[in-house]
Amino acid sequence: MQTDSSGQLTFEGAALNSLAAQFGTPLYVYSAQAIRSAYQSYAKACEGLADVTICYAIKANSNIHILKLLADEGAGFDLVSAGELARVLAAGGNPAKAVFAGVGKSVDEIEYALKAGVGCFNVESAAEMVRIGEVAQRLQIKANVSVRVNPDVDAKTHPYISTGLKENKFGVSMAAAPVVYAHAHQHPWLSVHGIDCHIGSQLTDASPYFDALDRVLALLDQLAAQGIVVNHLDLGGGIGIRYRDETPPKPADVLPKLIARVKTWATAQGRSMPSLSFEPGRSIVGNAGVLLTEVEFLKENEGKHFAIVDAAMNDLMRPAMYEAFHGVVAVKPNPTAQANTYDVVGPVCESGDWLARNRELAIEQGDVLAILSAGAYGQTMASNYNSRGRAAEVLVENGQARLIRRRETIEDLLRPEQDV
Ligand SMILES: *Cc1c(COP(=O)(O)O)cnc(C)c1O
């Protein structure tokens, strides 16, 4: 994001104020260039080091136009539902480069994924392994499987987005994993592909990745001793982004070191170098998007100032759900407005419906604000709470804005109840 000569904020050459006027608010705006360069920072970090696939985690932002952009860059995909797989297919992505994760895959979802030719199932329990084997046998389609292990390392992030501790619902414990692999190994319709581990999200410290990798490699030694050779490592996603003052590691700081450690291990064991994959979501799209919202009213209660805006918790859940911080700026300077310390809140009937607290802003009714770093877990977590339609989405590329999701209408909201 940049500021032009008149002080207006621009995103990849498009003035945010003009986009708000053209497309209305609330409006998600994404920069194609920012998404591409975030993806490339992963691809380039691994270049020439190993056979690596970067599988973009769709749940961070699942707009099919963004998936297409990433597929064109060469990305694979990490998906967690049939709906996300349908998005990959609609975007023209290659299902063979997709991995299917998630703790509760239904029989229908497994069947759909097998028929679509999904690359691998990341299996999260013994019961799920049995279910995938049954569906694969019935359809006579071999299923590639990896076991998602839970390495019990502390990712030191928000408890709701930490996934690699034994109290979390994710993955198979290190102790139970060999039995789950043994089942897959002897099953005629299951093919052991790899091992997977994803320890959490918004990680700002790289050391948990290395702890997790060491445990994964130790497990691979144990499996090899059982005659089960696993030759693919999926090391998950989770690298954080800057919302306020965080200094997360860059892919170039972490990935080459992880790959080097795998190489050292493979050499020591006399094995061939395994292929690898990573599953970044937030760090690909998070800083590539903003949410534009217009100030509906300013209001003061006993000395406390509120900016009531037209975006709400249904559009951007993160503050209400995790007390997450997002930067807020006016998209152009307002020289006549008086500065105050505002809570920026939405119209939804919940006290938890706030987007930012205690922010110094010089604004008036009708001004447009940009909620920053809203590209990940923004629109994908949006709901219709309070019967509010979801916001529109726009992709900016070289100064040109393109609508990539129209605003939901009242008819869209009522139709599923009227079509019964
Ligand atoms: C959510 C998720 C990711 C992506 O996490 P980010 O923090 O967005 O990078 C990767 N893998 C799995 C299995 C996930 O559930």
Side-chain angles (χ1 to χ4, degrees), residues 15 22 32 38 51 89 136 153 259 284 378 397:
Q22 186 183 347
D51 171 8
L89 298 174
V153 299
I259 294 169
I284 302 287
E397 187 152 24

Side-chain angles (χ1 to χ4, degrees), residues 42 55-60 78-80 101-102 122 124 148 161 163 170 196-198 200-203 209 234 236-240 278-284 376-377:
Y42 276 89
C55 293
Y56 167 66
I58 298 177
K59 72 181 193 287
D78 169 71
L79 51 95
V80 294
N122 287 346
E124 306 224 15
R148 176 173 178 184
I161 50 179
T163 57
F170 297 99
D196 169 51
C197 138
H198 168 76
S201 200
Q202 186 54 18
L203 271 72
Y209 286 107
D234 179 340
I239 292 183
F278 294 93
E279 307 170 338
R282 186 191 311 271
S283 51
I284 302 287
Y377 305 105

Side-chain angles (χ1 to χ4, degrees), residues 11 68 205 252 259 344 379 381 409:
F11 212 36
K68 173 160 189 342
D205 172 13
I259 294 169
V344 179
Q379 179 76 317
M381 288 172 87
T409 63

Side-chain angles (χ1 to χ4, degrees), residues 47-382:
E47 221 163 52
L49 299 180
D51 171 8
V52 180
T53 310
I54 306 299
C55 293
Y56 167 66
I58 298 177
K59 72 181 193 287
N61 189 320
S62 60
N63 187 293
I64 56 179
H65 301 271
I66 290 177
L67 301 187
K68 173 160 189 342
L69 184 160
L70 286 164
D72 289 346
E73 290 294 299
F77 295 101
D78 169 71
L79 51 95
V80 294
S81 68
E84 288 191 349
L85 174 52
R87 287 176 176 278
V88 170
L89 298 174
N94 179 1
K97 281 177 83 174
V99 296
F100 192 172
V103 294
K105 300 174 193 78
S106 71
V107 168
D108 285 350
E109 285 180 313
I110 294 165
E111 198 170 317
Y112 177 49
L114 277 172
K115 287 179 177 163
V118 105
C120 184
F121 291 87
N122 287 346
V123 180
E124 306 224 15
S125 63
E128 185 194 329
M129 191 65 92
V130 169
R131 175 178 285 183
I132 293 174
E134 284 167 0
V135 178
Q137 182 143 26
R138 175 161 55 77
L139 298 180
Q140 309 266 292
I141 304 175
K142 207 154 188 177
N144 289 327
V145 291
S146 289
V147 175
R148 176 173 178 184
V149 294
N150 184 328
D152 195 23
V153 299
D154 187 356
K156 303 186 191 84
T157 183
H158 188 285
Y160 285 9
I161 50 179
S162 175
T163 57
L165 280 170
K166 61 174 186 274
E167 63 256 38
N168 301 131
K169 69 178 176 184
F170 297 99
V172 175
S173 72
M174 300 305 252
V179 178
V180 181
Y181 272 107
H183 174 77
H185 187 62
Q186 55 75 37
H187 195 290
W189 293 97
L190 297 175
S191 170
V192 172
H193 172 65
I195 189 162
D196 169 51
C197 138
H198 168 76
I199 53 178
S201 200
Q202 186 54 18
L203 271 72
T204 52
D205 172 13
S207 63
Y209 286 107
F210 294 94
D211 297 344
L213 176 59
D214 286 345
R215 292 181 195 190
V216 164
L217 294 176
L219 180 59
L220 292 188
D221 289 339
Q222 194 186 331
L223 291 171
Q226 268 177 251
I228 302 172
V229 178
V230 174
N231 231 358
H232 177 82
L233 273 73
D234 179 340
L235 297 178
I239 292 183
I241 63 170
R242 174 170 289 190
Y243 287 103
R244 187 184 346 212
D245 52 9
E246 302 88 338
T247 50
K250 295 183 182 62
D253 301 332
V254 186
L255 272 53
K257 288 186 189 143
L258 290 170
I259 294 169
R261 195 170 285 198
V262 175
K263 232 172 222 169
T264 307
W265 165 82
T267 309
Q269 302 297 318
R271 307 172 45 134
S272 59
M273 176 66 184
S275 57
L276 289 135
S277 52
F278 294 93
E279 307 170 338
R282 186 191 311 271
S283 51
I284 302 287
V285 288
N287 284 332
V290 298
L291 173 61
L292 300 184
T293 182
E294 183 172 321
V295 177
E296 296 279 13
F297 303 108
L298 296 178
K299 151 170 176 176
E300 188 190 332
N301 278 348
E302 311 269 337
K304 175 114 191 140
H305 294 271
F306 294 95
I308 301 165
V309 298
D310 64 1
M313 64 186 285
N314 75 293
D315 299 298
L316 181 63
M317 249 309 235
R318 300 187 65 261
M321 188 148 153
Y322 317 115
E323 302 200 340
F325 177 96
H326 285 269
V328 179
V329 289
V331 299
K332 68 170 202 207
N334 182 337
T336 59
Q338 188 197 323
N340 276 307
T341 302
Y342 289 101
D343 278 10
V344 179
V345 302
V348 163
C349 303
E350 296 276 348
S351 294
D353 179 30
W354 55 272
L355 297 173
R357 285 173 164 162
N358 296 320
R359 305 302 171 81
E360 187 79 1
L361 293 164
I363 49 174
E364 287 175 326
Q365 189 169 320
D367 285 354
V368 175
L369 306 179
I371 316 287
L372 307 181
S373 305
Y377 305 105
Q379 179 76 317
T380 50
M381 288 172 87

